[in-house]
Amino acid sequence: GKFTKDYLFFVCNWHPFLGMFLSHPQHPWSKLERILTFIISCSFTMLPVAIAKKYGRMPDFPGITDVAVFGLITVPVMITEVALYWLSIGDIYCAGSGHAGDCCGKLVNLIKHCCLGGSLFLSVLFVVVSYSMLHEDDTISELVRPMIVSRVQSYLTWIPIWFVLPCVGFFHVWHMEDKALSAAK
């Protein structure tokens, strides 16, 4: 295929934010699952910010603090997002394996729904706890700005990581598929 066209298709279908709007309707990671993952990742971002704010370790976010947000908030939330993604599509690896595959798919779906439901519950809990930790003179915007910084960091970091990631990154998979197409000709 065409490298650039294939890469754009990959980004539209795999990117956690852009995929909410641009993914193929038949993609195994549904738009609802993407939206839930987005809500979960946003709320998971708020609690560490609220804790740091409450205990005086979160200045007003000049310079170096964005690095701290990346290391202490963005990376762990990105790992959670990836885990939820793989759970969301896990049942496709069970398809076509007969009765055992059907059982496997149902089990993976059950685990997926439990994890998404549990994560959504934790999200609500994290938002409530985060809001309750604010001082009287604090505003919700003091939680929202670092959350936005973290989400933007995550979405921008996703692009180079998922381009070069071994075995599942775009470049590796595209190269393997292109090599197989060339061999078939």
Side-chain angles (χ1 to χ4, degrees):
K2 302 264 186 218
F3 185 83
T4 305
K5 183 179 176 183
D6 289 346
Y7 183 65
L8 289 174
F9 186 77
F10 172 82
V11 169
C12 289
N13 281 289
W14 278 60
H15 194 275
F17 184 75
L18 297 175
M20 287 191 293
F21 311 103
L22 303 173
S23 65
H24 191 278
Q26 297 300 314
H27 194 278
W29 189 19
S30 74
K31 291 193 189 294
L32 176 62
E33 291 165 342
R34 292 169 189 266
I35 291 168
L36 288 174
T37 301
F38 174 74
I39 291 168
I40 291 165
S41 65
C42 287
S43 59
F44 276 28
T45 304
M46 290 179 120
L47 185 61
V49 171
I51 291 169
K53 186 90 177 130
K54 179 173 176 114
Y55 295 105
R57 303 205 196 308
M58 186 67 66
D60 294 330
F61 280 91
I64 193 72
T65 308
D66 288 347
V67 173
V69 168
F70 183 78
L72 300 173
I73 300 170
T74 303
V75 171
V77 172
M78 285 176 71
I79 292 168
T80 303
E81 286 177 324
V82 170
L84 289 172
Y85 166 76
W86 285 108
L87 275 170
S88 292
I89 67 161
D91 58 334
I92 66 170
Y93 296 102
C94 300
S97 301
H99 183 65
D102 291 342
C103 289
C104 171
K106 288 178 182 175
L107 179 62
V108 169
N109 266 328
L110 176 66
I111 293 168
K112 169 178 69 174
H113 288 106
C114 288
C115 288
L116 282 172
S119 296
L120 202 54
F121 173 76
L122 283 175
S123 294
V124 171
L125 183 65
F126 285 4
V127 169
V128 169
V129 169
S130 298
Y131 188 72
S132 70
M133 292 179 90
L134 290 176
H135 294 86
E136 299 147 3
D137 55 335
D138 292 336
T139 63
I140 194 75
S141 66
E142 294 182 51
L143 295 178
V144 172
R145 186 197 180 283
M147 181 200 66
I148 291 171
V149 168
S150 175
R151 297 295 74 227
V152 169
Q153 288 174 339
S154 172
Y155 299 142
L156 292 177
T157 303
W158 181 96
I159 292 168
I161 287 175
W162 283 94
F163 184 79
V164 297
L165 202 62
C167 301
V168 295
F170 173 78
F171 185 76
H172 174 79
V173 173
W174 187 87
H175 179 70
M176 298 302 287
E177 289 176 358
D178 190 54
K179 195 170 158 182
L181 282 173
S182 296
K185 290 180 183 179

